[in-house]
Amino acid sequence: MFKDFITNASLLVTSFFIIGQLFKDYRLRPSSSWKMRAAAGVCFGLQGILLMIYSVRLNESVIVDLRHIPIVVAAMQGGPVSAVFSAAVIMSGRIGLFGPSYTSVTPSILIMLIGITCGALAGNKGISMRRFLLLNTVAMIYVSVAVAMQFGLNGLQGQVASVLAYHWVISTTVGLLSTYAFLSIVRAHESTKKLQQSEARYKRLITASPDATLVLSQDLIVFINEKGVRLLRAAARKELLGQSIYDFFHPDNRDTSWTRCQDIRSGKTQPELIEQKLVCLDDTEIIVELSVSPTVYKGNAALLVTLRDITGRKTTERQLQEALSLLQKLSDLDGLTGIANRRKLDEHLAKAWSDCAANRSPLSVIMFDVDHFKAYNDSHGHLGGDEVLRTIALTANAVLLQKSHFIARYGGEEFACILTEVGAEEAYEWAEAIRMAIERLALPFKLSDANEHVTVSLGLASLVPEASAPPEQLIDLADKALYQAKAEGRNRTVCYGSTDEAADK
């Protein structure tokens, strides 16, 4: 008898697996359509008939089996409809196999009662181990009544207790195991279906993405959308599948990018946007904004990579930066002479003052202007005067560029030079170099009383700045020296506070 029960149990588990496979694409629940629940009930009913064929025969007229378990599971899975249909199929099978006798009709009616009762009790709550124990207990009460009646009719009352105890233990144990197996099968199918649906949605999202999107498995491209195919200049997707993404990275940053991607894969680094230069299949170089994040593809760890072509944007940014740099440069230059303007002079002087104050080093300023410039404008015209200013500015700038000293147009015909870490003696030499370079130009001056050529007068001042003092004081001192140079006859250099260093020319 034990061996027959084991056979029944094996058939039960196997048939549950088959039913699970049949309904793997259709989640069966009490809220499913009545047609699906009816179909499930028929399957569970056929399972009951199979168990009945391999039932345990106690004597010529008494058999026991586990046919009630499919009805219990049908009730939990599909509610009353599935339970009644499964009971009806089993009832039909019982009468068909053993004929319309008392011993067939009575169990058949009992089976129908089990189906109706279990269906009503199961309701719409679904399958669970606790609910199985409840419904199995109810079904076994019906079965126990039927078995007791059959044993009574055959005069085997003494065997009822032992047979029922055996039946209860086997039914409960095997029922729990088979229900657990069936539940595992159902959940596994549901998980698989959810995963398939998730991957399908995943692919649709990637396909519809406005950016180039691809999936990497072991650094190989296993999926790429159409935008990615076009971005990498491929004729078809098959040209890219199976290729390493790193083959498209520019050699200059390939190793760095590989390391960063591995860090993201291992969790050492959070996903971030990376600017990356790529080399496409046609050798075109593009700049992309690359995003890498861990994902799962077909059940395996993978990387989701999004590429956005920013080549045009980077070109625009570079052009804009160049334009801004040019604009900044133009805003710092004097429009007439092409050297620095007054605003740039103030900025440079403030920085030089601060640096020299911090280093306790000297700072010198040379101020100079064109002698008798108003008279020059009157005799040569304003265009001629502008040309003289440009020529003088370029000449003085060329002298000072030898040591990267600074010169700016201070205003009108007046210029200012800033010499960082230069004392009075060296500044005087630079001032004289400027004066003589301009004198050597021999720019004609028709109406000059002092000289037939254009000349300049220069004043300079030098000191070690104090951080708390205003830098403009050095300009004022140099301007006073310039005023003194003009008073002493022009075309000369005067150092503030040292008239003996003035040179008459």
Side-chain angles (χ1 to χ4, degrees), residues 291-302:
S291 172
V292 181
S293 58
T295 188
V296 176
Y297 184 76
K298 293 186 177 180
N300 298 316

Side-chain angles (χ1 to χ4, degrees), residues 72-130:
V72 170
V73 175
M76 291 189 291
Q77 278 287 93
V81 174
S82 294
V84 171
F85 265 87
S86 63
V89 171
I90 294 173
M91 182 178 68
S92 302
R94 172 69 175 175
I95 296 174
L97 288 172
F98 298 97
S101 61
Y102 173 79
T103 55
S104 297
V105 174
T106 302
S108 298
I109 295 173
L110 184 68
I111 283 294
M112 182 55 70
L113 288 174
I114 292 174
I116 295 171
T117 306
C118 289
L121 291 175
N124 296 321
K125 297 180 180 179
I127 189 170
S128 71
M129 304 303 289
R130 181 180 298 178

Side-chain angles (χ1 to χ4, degrees), residues 264-276:
I264 292 174
R265 186 202 303 274
S266 63
K268 293 181 180 178
T269 303
Q270 293 299 314
E272 59 179 336
L273 289 176
I274 307 168
E275 283 192 10
Q276 175 72 48

